[in-house]
């Protein structure tokens, strides 16, 4: 994938570019707004990481101009400004995501990955532990072997695996489950489904944690 | 900037005052003068008429009826004297009741009807092309069989002259007095308002950081009050600005420490040649950077609290349960990584309060972050929302060491980190919670009784309902 990184701080720019190159992408950099504007006009990129506070042309201006020209590449805005107004202005100008400095490098990588998925429309394949979930094909593999799951359990696993390391609320999970099947969900149905999933995914290198009062979270189990 | 000469769409107080006093004064004066003039003229007219009637009656008393007709029994000299007026001559005439002239001026204007016997009448008419006043009396001369009318006429010349005199000798002096009064009023008002102008000028000339009390102190009560209020406001601003400057200074100093650690560790690492040592150094540097970042975020959050109060964002109806749960869900993974379990409890929902959702979320975030930091691995943080009557409660509890009673009040102070402070904290978390709570009219309290483990921070919101 071709990615453009626009950031005026040399240290930050360097480390972002290196990280993305290590992940296998082709990375171009720009340290000024005017240069970024010119580069966006010349070459197509699959994703853009854009700092807002740039010398010369301001980041939002670069973004607005690119969108006017019809550049459709997804843009991740990174910035020190974190008020609601700033976020809204960024989104209105055409950005797709917003990350506040200082950020975790892993967070940046994950968000760029998410943007790239959006851009190419590639099927989401999520792997945690030895479990591989293919959302497009609606199939689960554990240690390479396919695992048959009824639709509701699959929907539950999918909802959890698409947000690894994040708590998914009971309300949201219940909504996902009730989309499948004609009968309404019994009150404890969610717990029952989680229990069944846990049994099927024992020793698969991941754990479904109960977050009391909130929901569930899936994460890789080490050891 | 000379305020008294600034062109503005506002009317000057001086002008308003002058207008409000002078215009009624002038109007009243004019009405008074009008009445004076009219009543004086009436009296004067009566006097002139009286004189005219007397002349007519005097003439009438001398009318004789002789064999050769009717005539006035007066020598021409006496007649002349009787008819003499300064700058004027009266005219007389005697007429039969059928309007036939008998003596005197035959062209005198006659009344429409002869007046009744011995009852003189005065009327306006025109004589020889000019307005005139005529007195007519009907008498029956001695020895006559028929009555005759005796007329005495004068032009209005003398009357008009007298009117002019009234104006000059009575009204004009009064007008002069009125003008003097107006002048004195204007001076007096200007003098009274001058201190206000000086006050404005002094305030305008102050630079933004000069908040000392004003020098100008107007003598009048209302203006003095303005000065006192302005001084008071400036005093409050001074205190507030002073606090802000102190805060910024403190913040900068606070940041220096983790940055110093960062720098020193980097320098140390460069002296090493062992990859293991490098790795350790880098991990420590990362920790320092995290601390700095955390501090900066907290500082911004605190600054925002002041900004929020200043902007007066409106409170909306929101569900405390939903806000607290969503934010807790976001923070739970980080706490779990520290080995701290996170739980959420809400017996009933929704619990609706009037608040600012962003601030409530930040309160939850700070409390959970604090609790997680101060809880050793294996411990638990519990976030609970409940409602009792009209009070909503947000409780964040941990199983950490607790906060000693003598420290409980101070933990809310900025940059205060307790005796058992966990590394990496900014000392601002609770200060932010208190600042945000204050903006929304909520209270914050600590429940902790060491050596019993655990601390609970309770945030109470008033005006809670069970539905939106």
């Amino acid at each position: 994938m071709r990615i453009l990184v626009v950031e005026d701080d040399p240290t930050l720019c360097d480390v972002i570019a290196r990280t993305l190159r290590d992940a296998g992408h082709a990375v171009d950099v720009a340290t000024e707004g005017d240069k970024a504007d010119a580069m966006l006009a010349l070459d197509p990129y699959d994703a853009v990481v854009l700092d807002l506070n740039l010398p010369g042309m301001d980041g939002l201006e670069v973004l607005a101009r690119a969108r006017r020209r019809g550049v459709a590449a997804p843009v991740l805005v990174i910035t020190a400004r974190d008020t609601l107004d700033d976020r809204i202005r960024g989104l209105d100008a055409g950005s797709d995501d917003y990350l506040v400095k200082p950020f975790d490098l892993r967070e940046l990588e994950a968000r760029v990955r998410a943007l790239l998925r959006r851009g190419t429309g590639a099927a989401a394949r999520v792997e945690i532990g030895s479990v591989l979930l293919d959302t497009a094909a609606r199939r689960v593999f554990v240690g390479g072997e396919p695992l048959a799951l009824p639709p509701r359990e699959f929907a539950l696993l999918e909802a959890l695996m698409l947000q690894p390391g994040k708590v998914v609320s009971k309300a949201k999970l219940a909504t996902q489950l009730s989309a499948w099947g004609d009968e309404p969900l019994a009150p404890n149905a969610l717990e029952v489904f989680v229990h069944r999933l846990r049994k099927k995914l024992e020793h698969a290198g991941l754990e479904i944690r109960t977050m009391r009062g909130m929901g569930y979270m899936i994460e890789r189990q080490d050891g | 900037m000379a305020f008294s000469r600034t062109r503005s769409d506002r009317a000057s107080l001086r002008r308003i005052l002058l207008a409000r006093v002078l215009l009624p004064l002038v109007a009243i004066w004019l009405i008074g003068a009008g009445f004076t003039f009219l009543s004086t003229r009436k009296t004067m007219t009566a006097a002139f008429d009286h004189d005219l009637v007397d002349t007519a009656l005097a003439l009438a008393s001398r009318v004789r009826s002789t064999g050769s007709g009717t005539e006035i029994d007066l020598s021409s000299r006496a007649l002349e004297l009787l008819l003499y007026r300064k700058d004027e001559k009266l005219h007389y005439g005697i007429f039969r009741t059928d309007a036939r002239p008998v003596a005197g001026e035959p062209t005198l204007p006659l009344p429409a009807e002869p007046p009744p016997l011995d009852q003189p009448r005065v009327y306006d008419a025109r004589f020889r092309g000019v307005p005139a006043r005529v007195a007519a009396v009907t008498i029956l001369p001695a020895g006559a069989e028929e009555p005759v009318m005796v007329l005495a006429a004068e032009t209005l010349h003398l009357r008009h002259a007298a009117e002019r005199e009234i104006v000059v000798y009575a009204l004009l002096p009064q007008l002069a007095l009125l003008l003097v009064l107006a002048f004195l009023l204007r001076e007096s008002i200007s003098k009274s308002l001058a201190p206000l102008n000086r006050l404005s000028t002094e305030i305008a000339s102050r630079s933004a950081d000069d908040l000392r009390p004003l020098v100008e102190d107007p003598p009048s009560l209302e203006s003095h009050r303005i000065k006192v209020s302005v001084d008071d406001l400036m005093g409050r601003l001074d205190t507030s600005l002073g606090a802000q400057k102190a805060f910024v200074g403190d913040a900068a100093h606070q940041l220096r420490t983790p940055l110093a650690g960062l720098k020193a560790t980097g320098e140390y690492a460069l002296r090493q040649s062992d990859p293991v040592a490098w790795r350790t150094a880098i991990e420590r540097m990362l920790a320092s950077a995290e601390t700095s970042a955390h501090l900066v975020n907290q500082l911004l959050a605190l600054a925002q609290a002041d900004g929020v109060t200043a902007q007066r964002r409106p409170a909306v109806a929101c569900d405390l349960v939903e806000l607290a749960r969503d934010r807790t869900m976001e923070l739970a993974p980080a706490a779990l990584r520290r080995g701290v379990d996170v739980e959420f409890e809400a017996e009933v929902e929704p619990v609706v309060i009037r608040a600012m959702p962003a601030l409530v979320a930040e309160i939850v975030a700070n409390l959970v972050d604090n609790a997680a930091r101060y809880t050793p691995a294996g411990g638990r943080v519990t976030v609970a929302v409940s409602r009792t009557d009209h009070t909503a409660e947000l409780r964040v509890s941990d199983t950490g060491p607790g906060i000693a009673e003598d420290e409980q009040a101070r933990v809310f102070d900025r940059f205060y980190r307790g005796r058992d402070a966990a590394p990496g904290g900014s000392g601002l978390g609770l200060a932010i919670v208190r600042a945000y709570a204050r903006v929304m009219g909520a209270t914050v309290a600590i429940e902790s009784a060491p050596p019993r483990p655990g601390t609970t921070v309770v945030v109470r919101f008033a005006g809670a309902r069970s539905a939106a």
Side-chain angles (χ1 to χ4, degrees):
Chain A
M1 299 279 146
R2 288 197 69 187
I3 303 181
L4 175 64
V5 175
V6 186
E7 166 62 62
D8 65 319
D9 178 76
T11 311
L12 197 50
C13 186
D14 188 60
V15 77
I16 295 177
R18 278 177 198 270
T19 309
L20 293 175
R21 279 182 195 129
D22 285 348
H25 303 296
V27 179
D28 290 338
V29 302
T31 53
E32 287 153 15
D34 304 87
K35 187 128 170 289
D37 185 47
M39 288 168 83
L40 281 168
L42 282 173
D43 292 316
Y45 289 97
D46 298 301
V48 181
V49 177
L50 177 65
D51 175 33
L52 289 187
N53 206 12
L54 298 168
M57 199 186 298
D58 152 83
L60 279 178
E61 180 66 29
V62 170
L63 178 56
R65 285 166 69 106
R67 291 296 183 228
R68 272 200 295 270
R69 257 187 248 118
V71 171
V75 172
L76 168 66
V77 162
I78 55 174
T79 176
R81 302 212 140 269
D82 64 343
T83 67
L84 189 60
D85 291 331
D86 295 310
R87 282 179 207 254
I88 291 176
R89 235 178 296 144
L91 289 170
D92 282 344
S95 70
D96 297 89
D97 199 358
Y98 202 94
L99 191 55
V100 179
K101 297 181 198 172
F103 44 78
D104 285 342
L105 215 48
R106 284 183 309 166
E107 182 82 43
L108 179 84
E109 286 180 289
R111 303 242 187 154
V112 170
R113 270 202 304 273
L115 281 188
L116 289 170
R117 272 203 302 270
R118 216 186 290 182
T120 62
R125 290 157 62 91
V126 187
E127 196 167 341
I128 304 179
S130 52
V131 180
L132 174 67
L133 178 81
D134 188 334
T135 57
R138 322 289 313 151
R139 300 186 67 174
V140 186
F141 299 86
V142 180
E145 297 296 321
L147 174 68
L149 285 179
R152 279 181 161 165
E153 280 174 44
F154 184 88
L156 177 59
L157 183 60
E158 178 184 25
L160 289 171
M161 282 187 75
L162 285 179
Q163 306 245 49
K166 292 203 161 76
V167 181
V168 186
S169 72
K170 266 195 268 195
K172 181 160 176 213
L173 292 173
T175 315
Q176 300 277 50
L177 292 194
S178 60
W180 298 93
D182 318 304
E183 319 97 48
L185 276 185
N188 273 355
L190 187 57
E191 279 78 4
V192 170
F193 282 119
V194 170
H195 180 73
R196 285 189 201 155
L197 258 185
R198 277 185 178 137
K199 292 212 79 169
K200 291 177 189 173
L201 296 174
E202 251 177 310
H203 312 305
L206 54 66
E207 185 190 344
I208 299 178
R209 269 188 97 123
T210 303
M211 304 300 295
R212 215 163 75 77
M214 295 182 271
Y216 295 92
M217 182 172 84
I218 202 166
E219 58 181 2
R220 189 169 49 200
Q221 192 176 48
D222 307 306
Chain B
M1 210 188 329
F3 276 88
S4 53
R5 282 182 195 82
T6 309
R7 282 183 61 84
S8 150
D9 50 350
R10 287 186 197 278
S12 137
L13 184 59
R14 191 164 140 268
R15 280 217 193 117
I16 292 176
L17 278 175
L18 269 178
R20 286 208 180 137
V21 172
L22 280 184
L23 287 177
L25 188 64
V26 167
I28 289 171
W29 183 86
L30 280 173
I31 292 172
F35 274 119
T36 304
F37 181 77
L38 287 174
S39 80
T40 310
R41 191 168 69 165
K42 191 161 178 245
T43 310
M44 194 186 61
T45 302
F48 273 97
D49 286 349
H50 190 80
D51 181 59
L52 195 62
V53 164
D54 274 357
T55 308
L57 286 173
L59 285 167
S61 67
R62 294 301 219 179
V63 170
R64 303 276 177 265
S65 185
T66 63
S68 49
T70 315
E71 59 181 28
I72 300 242
D73 179 20
L74 272 178
S75 67
S76 57
R77 177 86 186 124
L79 194 57
E80 223 178 277
L81 276 173
L82 190 59
L83 296 175
Y84 175 79
R85 294 286 180 280
K86 184 165 170 299
D87 304 327
E88 170 97 65
K89 198 175 117 184
L90 295 194
H91 302 272
Y92 84 96
I94 304 179
F95 298 82
R96 275 216 249 273
T97 46
D98 59 2
R100 256 200 305 154
V102 169
E105 192 67 52
T107 57
L108 280 183
L110 292 164
E113 270 179 11
L117 206 55
D118 294 329
Q119 286 182 29
R121 193 197 299 152
V122 188
Y123 57 95
D124 294 311
R126 286 189 82 84
F127 178 55
R128 292 188 184 159
V130 295
R133 191 87 168 142
V134 186
V137 61
T138 307
I139 49 141
L140 189 61
E145 285 156 4
E146 286 175 15
V148 292
M149 268 190 305
V150 177
L151 264 55
E154 62 182 8
T155 64
L156 300 184
H157 175 76
L158 283 177
R159 294 170 193 243
H160 288 156
E163 276 171 25
R164 279 196 292 277
E165 279 193 17
I166 295 175
V167 170
V168 168
Y169 288 105
L171 294 184
L172 278 183
Q174 282 191 36
L175 182 62
L177 283 175
L178 183 66
L179 289 174
V180 168
L181 179 62
F183 176 76
L184 287 174
L185 264 175
R186 197 182 79 136
E187 289 310 297
S188 172
I189 289 177
S190 286
K191 208 155 158 234
S192 299
L193 292 180
L196 271 181
N197 283 333
R198 286 200 290 274
L199 205 61
S200 301
T201 311
E202 189 184 342
I203 293 175
S205 66
R206 282 290 182 88
S207 68
D209 50 8
D210 182 0
L211 294 172
R212 290 168 301 164
L214 294 169
V215 169
E216 180 74 35
D217 193 357
S220 63
L221 181 64
E222 291 85 356
S223 306
H224 172 73
R225 276 202 199 125
I226 291 178
K227 173 212 181 331
V228 167
S229 303
V230 171
D231 283 346
D232 182 46
L233 177 64
M234 294 211 286
R236 282 181 277 143
L237 272 175
D238 199 26
T239 309
S240 165
L241 280 176
Q244 281 191 31
K245 282 184 185 159
F247 176 59
V248 168
D250 284 343
H253 290 124
Q254 290 285 331
L255 267 174
R256 281 181 163 166
T257 306
L259 288 176
L262 194 61
K263 183 167 184 289
T265 309
E267 286 169 354
Y268 179 79
L270 285 175
R271 290 191 209 148
Q272 312 304 313
S273 47
D274 166 25
V276 174
W278 287 338
R279 189 170 190 89
T280 312
I282 290 172
E283 280 165 358
R284 298 232 177 91
M285 287 166 72
L286 197 55
S288 286
E290 298 270 2
T291 307
S292 304
H294 181 66
L295 180 60
V296 166
N297 285 336
Q298 300 288 66
L299 287 172
L300 277 172
L302 255 182
Q304 282 219 12
D306 295 333
V308 167
T309 353
Q311 283 173 46
R312 297 188 192 291
R313 289 233 183 91
V316 295
C318 48
D319 180 11
L320 183 57
V321 174
E322 190 182 338
L323 284 172
R325 180 168 42 214
D326 286 350
R327 207 67 174 95
T328 309
M329 273 171 37
E330 282 170 34
L331 295 157
L336 282 174
R337 278 198 286 276
R338 282 203 181 99
V340 175
D341 204 3
V342 178
E343 285 185 359
F344 184 83
E345 286 170 7
E347 283 176 4
V348 288
E349 58 179 299
V351 171
V352 179
I353 53 173
R354 285 204 73 80
M356 295 150 206
L359 299 192
V360 174
E362 279 306 292
I363 287 179
V364 173
N366 273 286
L367 289 177
V368 172
D369 182 69
N370 238 31
R373 266 178 215 276
Y374 283 86
T375 304
R380 182 189 314 142
V381 171
T382 308
V383 179
V385 176
S386 60
R387 182 178 70 89
T388 314
D389 291 331
H390 293 292
T391 304
E393 260 187 22
L394 167 71
R395 306 175 79 92
V396 178
S397 316
D398 63 55
T399 55
I403 303 177
E405 212 179 309
D406 60 334
E407 281 196 307
Q408 282 181 18
R410 295 167 62 193
V411 289
F412 291 103
D413 293 339
R414 298 181 180 191
F415 302 123
Y416 182 83
R417 299 179 59 215
R419 289 194 282 267
D420 312 304
S426 63
L428 289 175
L430 286 175
I432 291 171
V433 168
R434 186 172 62 174
Y436 282 7
R438 222 177 248 165
V439 168
M440 295 186 289
T443 62
V444 187
I446 295 195
E447 288 170 10
S448 184
R452 221 173 21 168
T455 307
T456 300
V457 181
V458 186
V459 182
R460 291 192 178 88
F461 297 83
R465 303 195 299 275
S466 60

